[in-house]
Amino acid sequence: MSSYMPYMLCFVLFCIGIFAVFSKKSLIKIIVGLAISEYAANLFLILVGYKMGGRAPIFSPTETISPDLMVDPLPQALVLTSIVIGLAITAFLVAIAMRLYEKYGTFDVTKIRELRG
Amino acid sequence: MIGPNTLPLFVAIPLAGAFICPLLGKRVKSAVDAVGIMAVLGVFALSIFAVITLEGRDYSPISVTAGGWPAPYGIQMVLDGLTAFMLVTVNFVALLVAIYSLSYMDRYTSRWKYFTLFLLMLAGMNGVLITGDIFNLFVFLEIASIASYALVAFGTEKHELEAAFRYAVMGSIGSLLILMGITLIYSRASTLNMAHIAQRLQVFGMGRTGLAALVLFVAGFGLKSALVPFHAWLPDAHPSAPAPISAMLSGVLIKSLGVYALARLVFNVLGITPHISSALMALGALSMVVGAILAMNQWDLKRLLAYSSISQIGYIVLGLGVGTPLGILGGLFHLFNHSVFKSLLFLDSGSIEYSVGSRDLREMGGLGKRMRVTSWTTLSASMSISGVPPFAGFWSKLLIIMACIQEKQWVYAIVAVAISIVTLAYFLKVTRFAFLGTVRDTLRGVIEVPAFMRIAMVGLAMVCILGGLLLIPGIREAFLGGAANALSAGVIIPGEMGR
């Protein structure tokens, strides 16, 4: 049970974010919900490469460390890319939300409804 | 002609163009147009060479590793039959859309921003097509997606911003699902290279992890390609963009980001099983029916076209889902045809908006006499999309229906025929309300659109009419056959890709 626990919590976090995106009325809260889901996905990526008691994957000339004791470095490199992409999307969404606020004077999505869905 | 060294150019040329446009944009206005057209023309020429080269070497894939790192560590770029086919489709539509934009974008300010985003989107799409690395695919997918979110908001009016917001949120959720799928695949196979994943999954088996990843991929790429349970964003986003961008989004973006990526992963990396096959067929049939029914009672021309895209994507996924070589050939041929006629229809709707200033079918009428080129090109695209012989769309739908019958999927075959008739009905509605009838008094002053826009529309219309010739033996093997073989060959073997 305990070894699956971090993954389960990560999945719960993802679902909380998705729930916020679909149920909240404020544009800002929707963006925050998306950010929460994004963090959950990034956390999941890191968890996959994690090893209990593992250390940083750096080889040193003074001491010999077996690669078995290191965490997988690849997900950590991937998550950097993923965070940058997430930043771009968040910045874009915030910019759009600001423009929408200028036009409508509100962040409430129920009042911003020109399109028929 | 196309060697390993020229392969990265498919991404590098549009990316360089996107970099140069803002540098020139503020000083030399006309140079931006030149840079944009030259970049797209360059990649289109390269993709034609790619098809010729591949045929010359009997469709053995060409691959190159970025930075010279060997395959499992470095990022691999691969050119096989399917990639070459998709590159030609995407860059052909992009070229004509860029020509169309030269005149159309006069309505908007800051052309350099438009061309920058356009080229960035093209770079992302070409990257998705050419990469052989699953995480690299995600990165290019995001480049194309973010550029397209910004392009939907380009007009910065109320409904455009709203549509862009909704599109960006839904698109990001799709990307997150894809990212989690990639994570699961990585945890199962410990590699990101597509060929190596395919090999390891053959050895270790899919396991529950692989199945979970597959579900996430279907949902994520389903969101990107607007299959029916995931379609709600498309009818807002596609009509809100400027017409040339609607043409790109509906014509090629949902296919290269959604259908191509899904097909590549399902057929070549994870391996297709009867369950996935029936799931894809069911999703495709559902999209066909729902999209067509919703399109019937739309009065906004671009919205009608957007719903019709959902319906036609259903045909493509149905054809691919059948999984037989004939079904795959039909699905890919319909993908090509849909790229051509749907972008043509969106360009036509743009021309009408340019001249008439409205998208509501009820405010049009008698435009056939005023705008001959627009009217004839719309007619040929409508005939092609509704599957009237001898237009190109007829042949691809015929192949899909024949594949369904061969596999004894009678229900799907009947649905495909019935929806084809419904499609004809709503395109007759477009023709009837927009082009036939008497000219309204308010529309007396309407004139045909400028030359660049006409050139683009006529170019696409010719392909609609003559597209059926692609099935002639000799031409078929070179273009469609290579692509269909790449998919129906099943999972890839690293030796083949690592060359």
Side-chain angles (χ1 to χ4, degrees):
Chain A
M1 180 279 240
S2 60
S3 65
Y4 284 111
M5 209 54 191
Y7 297 103
M8 284 299 155
L9 289 176
C10 187
F11 184 67
V12 168
L13 192 62
F14 184 78
C15 290
I16 290 172
I18 297 290
F19 176 75
V21 169
F22 286 111
S23 67
K24 291 295 166 190
K25 291 200 169 61
S26 162
L27 290 179
I28 299 298
K29 284 183 182 166
I30 291 175
I31 298 171
V32 171
L34 198 63
I36 291 175
S37 303
E38 226 165 68
Y39 293 147
N42 292 344
L43 180 64
F44 185 51
L45 196 51
I46 286 291
L47 278 177
V48 162
Y50 181 72
K51 201 176 281 177
M52 196 69 92
R55 51 178 297 167
I58 303 167
F59 286 101
S60 142
T62 52
E63 54 174 333
T64 47
I65 309 152
S66 156
D68 292 342
L69 294 175
M70 295 173 177
V71 296
D72 188 350
L74 189 62
Q76 304 192 355
L78 299 186
V79 91
L80 275 180
T81 318
S82 164
I83 287 170
V84 173
I85 291 170
L87 174 74
I89 288 177
T90 310
F92 175 78
L93 284 173
V94 170
I96 295 280
M98 282 166 64
R99 295 296 287 267
L100 277 170
Y101 188 80
E102 280 171 19
K103 304 265 181 202
Y104 288 90
T106 175
F107 282 126
D108 190 343
V109 278
T110 50
K111 295 190 179 110
I112 306 171
R113 201 163 273 270
E114 291 244 313
L115 301 168
R116 279 157 289 172
Chain B
M1 278 177 282
I2 294 281
N5 295 328
T6 45
L7 221 46
L9 285 180
F10 283 108
V11 182
I13 292 177
L15 213 52
F19 179 70
I20 296 169
C21 277
L23 290 182
L24 293 173
K26 284 171 186 157
R27 299 186 197 93
V28 213
K29 287 241 161 33
S30 55
V32 173
D33 292 353
V35 170
I37 293 287
M38 289 304 286
V40 186
L41 194 63
V43 277
F44 177 62
L46 270 180
S47 50
I48 293 285
F49 282 136
V51 170
I52 297 170
T53 314
L54 266 188
E55 204 212 350
R57 41 185 288 150
D58 210 22
Y59 303 106
S60 64
I62 305 171
S63 68
V64 58
T65 49
W69 291 82
Y73 310 110
I75 291 167
Q76 209 176 21
M77 290 182 163
V78 183
L79 179 75
D80 67 353
L82 180 62
T83 302
F85 164 78
M86 288 296 299
L87 281 172
V88 170
T89 311
V90 167
N91 292 313
F92 172 67
V93 172
L95 176 64
L96 290 176
V97 164
I99 293 172
Y100 184 92
S101 314
L102 290 180
S103 295
Y104 187 83
M105 292 314 285
D106 289 343
R107 311 172 72 207
Y108 294 85
T109 50
S110 69
R111 298 161 80 90
W112 63 274
K113 283 181 188 155
Y114 170 82
F115 270 106
T116 306
L117 287 168
F118 180 86
L119 290 172
L120 214 50
M121 185 168 80
L122 189 64
M125 280 194 282
N126 283 346
V128 166
L129 298 178
I130 208 158
T131 186
D133 183 281
I134 191 169
F135 190 78
N136 197 228
L137 184 142
F138 171 75
V139 172
F140 280 125
L141 183 133
E142 285 295 271
I143 292 175
S145 298
I146 293 173
S148 73
Y149 306 151
L151 281 167
V152 168
F154 198 75
T156 63
E157 289 302 317
K158 280 182 174 180
H159 62 277
E160 285 151 354
L161 292 170
E162 191 193 336
F165 189 85
R166 212 179 279 182
Y167 177 33
V169 169
M170 294 311 284
S172 312
I173 291 174
S175 307
L176 287 179
L177 294 175
I178 294 167
L179 180 63
M180 287 175 78
I182 292 171
T183 313
L184 284 173
I185 287 289
Y186 177 71
S187 75
R188 183 79 189 161
S190 313
T191 174
L192 291 167
N193 183 290
M194 286 185 193
H196 289 253
I197 292 170
Q199 186 200 25
R200 298 237 174 117
L201 287 183
Q202 289 298 299
V203 177
F204 301 139
M206 288 268 283
R208 271 187 285 180
T209 323
L211 281 180
L214 188 64
V215 172
L216 287 170
F217 283 145
V218 171
F221 290 116
L223 258 167
K224 294 275 177 197
S225 57
L227 286 173
V228 146
F230 319 107
H231 69 287
W233 56 271
L234 186 141
D236 292 336
H238 287 194
S240 299
I245 293 307
S246 308
M248 282 298 277
L249 294 181
S250 254
V252 290
L253 188 89
I254 53 175
K255 300 195 186 69
S256 55
L257 262 53
V259 177
Y260 163 83
L262 185 63
R264 178 64 95 193
L265 289 177
V266 165
F267 281 90
N268 287 158
V269 177
L270 301 171
I272 190 152
T273 63
H275 294 100
I276 306 165
S277 174
S278 54
L280 286 181
M281 283 196 289
L283 279 176
L286 192 66
S287 304
M288 272 157 56
V289 174
V290 174
I293 289 171
L294 290 174
M296 280 287 277
N297 51 11
Q298 297 299 324
W299 286 103
D300 182 334
L301 177 55
K302 283 176 91 174
R303 232 177 146 73
L304 184 149
L305 295 177
Y307 276 113
S308 150
S309 280
I310 297 174
S311 169
Q312 301 299 315
I313 281 284
Y315 273 97
I316 299 168
V317 172
L318 174 66
L320 293 174
V322 173
T324 57
L326 187 68
I328 292 171
L329 182 72
L332 289 176
F333 191 30
H334 200 66
L335 188 154
F336 173 77
N337 284 335
H338 183 248
S339 300
V340 173
F341 53 60
K342 187 47 60 68
S343 28
L344 174 54
L345 284 166
F346 267 113
L347 294 187
D348 284 324
S349 76
S351 301
I352 292 172
E353 205 183 349
Y354 187 89
S355 296
V356 179
S358 168
R359 302 194 318 220
D360 195 326
L361 285 171
R362 284 167 294 199
E363 289 170 22
M364 300 170 194
L367 291 177
K369 297 187 189 78
R370 297 275 152 196
M371 307 170 71
R372 283 193 184 282
V373 177
T374 309
S375 131
W376 281 108
T377 50
T378 310
L379 190 66
S380 63
S382 307
M383 293 295 109
S384 187
I385 196 172
S386 1
V388 174
F391 290 90
F394 167 74
W395 302 106
S396 53
K397 283 191 180 174
L398 186 70
L399 286 178
I400 293 171
I401 293 165
M402 270 162 55
C404 285
I405 292 173
Q406 260 186 4
E407 287 295 293
K408 305 223 172 2
Q409 303 284 359
W410 306 109
V411 180
Y412 291 133
I414 292 166
V415 169
V417 175
I419 294 303
S420 189
I421 296 165
V422 177
T423 311
L424 183 62
Y426 62 72
F427 276 103
L428 284 178
K429 171 179 159 183
V430 171
T431 312
R432 156 77 183 77
F433 280 94
F435 297 111
L436 301 180
T438 50
V439 185
R440 283 163 185 264
D441 290 338
T442 46
L443 302 178
R444 293 231 175 263
V446 168
I447 48 161
E448 187 56 279
V449 291
F452 279 129
M453 289 161 76
R454 275 179 297 183
I455 292 171
M457 293 190 304
V458 170
L460 286 165
M462 294 307 282
V463 180
C464 276
I465 297 167
L466 302 174
L469 294 177
L470 284 175
L471 282 181
I472 291 176
I475 304 172
R476 183 179 68 194
E477 283 80 20
F479 187 53
L480 279 163
N485 288 341
L487 272 188
S488 48
V491 290
I492 24 181
I493 311 150
E496 260 178 38
M497 304 214 17
R499 216 174 291 179

